[in-house]
Amino acid sequence: MVGPATLAAALLGGCAAQAPSSTALPSIYLPLASNSAHIDVEAARDMISSYRRNRGAPPLTVDPELQRLAEAEAAAMALADRPSRAQTVKAAVERLGYANVNANLSAGYHTLAEAFSGWRESPPHDATMLAPGATRMGIATAFAPGSKYKVYWALLTAK
């Protein structure tokens, strides 16, 4: 004869054995509010390029120099604990020989999905993602643990 405790253990054990295995979150949903977190640049490129294609704009490629500049700008904003002025950053990138420069500089989004959604809802940020003359991009985040924003973002697009 099987006792109630044995029966309950057997039933619960069977349930646990049949539970689906957990899968990793897609990188666009991974939290970026830690020192060890890094944005998935390729996923960002693919998401923004798909958005652009759906609206008649050409896809973007990641430009190593724009990527380096985005990383430096995100780090500078995190260090200063405030977003930079887009006009200042755009002028600096233009001095390096890029044309049609646009910049999304923001803070407070903790995942790529949040940033993308927020940028789509903001006409100036949306215009940066959809800039018709842009063919290249760089995107980066920086974590500021003591900041109310926690994560700073820099998206640069240019030709």
Side-chain angles (χ1 to χ4, degrees):
M1 176 162 207
V2 176
T6 305
L7 182 59
L11 290 173
L12 289 175
C15 290
Q18 294 174 3
S21 63
S22 64
T23 57
L25 284 174
S27 64
I28 65 170
Y29 298 112
L30 293 176
L32 297 168
S34 76
N35 284 324
S36 62
H38 298 283
I39 188 169
D40 183 339
V41 174
E42 287 75 27
R45 178 208 55 218
D46 292 348
M47 184 167 26
I48 294 168
S49 289
S50 177
Y51 181 60
R52 289 172 58 83
R53 273 191 298 274
N54 289 339
R55 280 149 189 82
L60 299 173
T61 59
V62 175
D63 180 281
E65 184 67 12
L66 286 177
Q67 183 61 34
R68 186 186 68 71
L69 293 169
E71 290 167 2
E73 190 57 38
M77 290 187 296
L79 186 62
D81 196 14
R82 62 182 164 75
S84 300
R85 293 188 53 227
Q87 288 307 107
T88 304
V89 174
K90 287 168 54 174
V93 175
E94 286 170 350
R95 284 194 299 273
L96 296 173
Y98 290 91
N100 300 338
V101 177
N102 295 283
N104 279 353
L105 307 175
S106 58
Y109 300 118
H110 289 203
T111 68
L112 175 56
E114 287 176 6
F116 180 72
S117 292
W119 291 342
R120 281 189 327 213
E121 299 300 317
S122 164
H125 290 103
D126 194 48
T128 292
M129 289 195 298
L130 295 174
T135 57
R136 300 178 174 279
M137 68 172 277
I139 187 169
T141 60
F143 175 58
S147 168
K148 71 178 181 177
Y149 299 113
K150 302 291 185 219
V151 182
Y152 285 84
W153 291 81
L155 168 65
L156 304 176
T157 64
K159 181 175 180 179

